[in-house]
Amino acid sequence: MFDKLEDLLHRFEEILNELNEPTVAENQARFRALMKEQSDLTPIVEAYREYKKCNETVEDSLSLLDSENDEEMREMLKEELNDAKKRIEELETQLKVLLLPKDPNDDKNVIVEIRAGAGGDEAALFAAEIYRMYVHYAEGRRWKVELLNVDEIGTGGMKEVQFVITGQGAYSRMKYESGVHRVQRVPETESGGRIHTSTISVAVMPEVDEDIDIVIDEKDIRVDVMRASGNGGQCVNTTDSAVRLTHYPTGIVVYSQTEKSQLQNKAKAFALLKSKLYDMEQQQRHDAEAELRRSQIGTGDRSEKIRTYNFPQGRVTDHRINLTLYKLDKIMNGDIEEILDACISADQAAKLVRMNGEAV
C-alpha cells in the first residue's frame, strides 16, 4: 500500500508542476484532465502526508523519551506519542478506503426512473412523494433537477416519472437508491383505518456522456411523434412535440414530452435510451460477477426490497444495512443524507473485507 501511496504522491507533484507551466492552459482538454486528476488525488495525498507527519512525531517522541528525565515532560511526550499512534490507526483505515477501486461512474450525472408498483393509486401517490423527496435532496446539495417524462394520475400521483439530476458526484450517492421502496400507511381513501402496503421501484442510471460509446443503429429504432398529454404549457395538446422511441433489439420504450420542441424532446429521449442501454450492459456485467455484486451495497438486483417507510410509527428502515430512523417527516422532505452515508460506509467496509480476503 505504501509503495502505491509514494507513487501517487510523486504523481501529484508532477501534476502540480505541469499545471504551473504557462502553456498548459492552451490545451483545455489536457488542463481539465489534470485538474480532475489533481482533485481526485488531493484527499489521498493530504491523508498520506498527515500519516507521514504522525510517524515522524512517534519517532521524535520515542527518541526524546529515551533522553528525558523530567517526569512532567515525559508525561507530555507520552500523551503526544499516544495521540499520534491513535491518529496513525485512523489514517491507515482512511487511506485503505481512499485507495479502494473507484466506480468510474461516480462523478456522472444520473437519470432516475420511479415507477408505481403494487398498490394502485396509493403506489402512484407514494411515487410522487419519493420524486419530491429526491428533488428536495438535490436542491439541498445544489444539484439541478430536470424532468424528462411523467405519467400523472388525477389524484396527484405518478404512475411513472423520469428525471435527470446534474451535479458533482450525483451517481456516487444516488446509486444507493436503486431498488424497491415499500410504504405502509392508511390511505386517504381507506374508511376502515386499515394499514395498506404499497411499493414503487427506483432505478438510478449514470447519464451517458461522450466518454462512453453507446452505438444505436437507426434501423433498430422506431420514432413516433405525438401530441403531449397531461399538465403543461401552451403547446400541450396543440402540437406534435412529444417523442416516443422504441428500441427493437431490447424492447425498451422511452417517451419525452416535457419540452415544447420536438427536437428537444427527441434529444432527451435518446439520452434516456442511451442510459438505459448502458445500465442494461452494466447489470449484465454485474450478474456475471455475482460475488462482487453481493459484496456491494447499491449495485444489486433491482427487484430487491431496500427500504420501508412506515407512516403510523414514523420510521424508515433500510433493510440492506439494518438501519432504522424515526424521522420519517424529515426524510420525506429530502433529509436522506444519514441513510446514504451509512450505505456508503457499509459498502466501503464490505469492499475492504473482500480486498483483505483476496490479499490473504
Side-chain angles (χ1 to χ4, degrees), residues 177-240:
E177 290 301 294
S178 280
V180 174
H181 297 237
R182 181 175 69 171
V183 60
Q184 295 174 326
R185 63 183 174 189
V186 180
E188 292 180 10
T189 54
E190 172 57 59
S191 57
R194 291 178 301 166
I195 295 174
H196 286 228
T197 298
S198 304
T199 61
I200 64 163
S201 64
V202 176
V204 179
M205 300 163 280
E207 188 178 39
V208 177
D209 49 27
E210 307 82 43
D211 66 340
I212 297 174
D213 188 24
I214 298 291
V215 179
I216 301 175
D217 196 321
E218 286 187 14
K219 71 175 186 296
D220 291 337
I221 295 285
R222 188 179 80 207
V223 181
D224 296 308
V225 294
M226 61 206 73
R227 291 188 179 182
S229 60
N231 300 323
Q234 295 178 350
C235 291
V236 172
N237 293 320
T238 61
T239 61
D240 292 335

Side-chain angles (χ1 to χ4, degrees), residues 91-151:
L91 287 165
E92 280 182 352
T93 302
Q94 184 181 334
L95 285 165
K96 285 177 182 176
V97 170
L98 288 168
L99 288 174
L100 285 172
K102 192 177 177 184
D103 187 332
N105 295 314
D106 274 353
D107 291 331
K108 295 188 185 300
N109 303 325
V110 294
I111 292 178
V112 184
E113 182 176 78
I114 303 172
R115 290 179 180 271
D121 286 359
E122 173 65 8
L125 287 168
F126 185 55
E129 290 174 70
I130 293 297
Y131 166 68
R132 287 190 288 272
M133 178 182 83
Y134 291 146
V135 170
H136 290 314
Y137 175 65
E139 288 171 346
R141 295 188 70 90
R142 297 186 178 180
W143 292 343
K144 180 185 172 186
V145 178
E146 184 181 7
L147 194 62
L148 287 175
N149 177 50
V150 59
D151 183 3

Side-chain angles (χ1 to χ4, degrees), residues 16-78:
L16 291 182
N17 289 334
E18 189 169 347
L19 285 170
N20 285 328
E21 292 177 7
T23 57
V24 72
E26 294 173 7
N27 184 340
Q28 281 297 303
R30 177 64 178 162
F31 180 74
R32 283 194 298 270
L34 287 170
M35 289 297 292
K36 185 182 183 307
E37 193 176 356
Q38 181 199 20
S39 175
D40 291 343
L41 288 176
T42 295
I44 301 173
V45 167
E46 287 178 349
Y48 184 46
R49 282 175 173 167
E50 187 184 351
Y51 175 86
K52 292 175 80 171
K53 191 175 179 181
C54 286
N55 267 317
E56 288 174 8
T57 300
V58 168
E59 291 174 7
D60 291 345
S61 297
L62 287 171
S63 177
L64 289 168
L65 272 171
D66 286 340
S67 57
E68 184 59 62
N69 295 319
D70 183 82
E71 198 55 40
E72 190 174 337
M73 278 297 297
R74 286 181 65 82
E75 285 303 315
M76 286 178 60
L77 288 167
K78 285 178 183 177

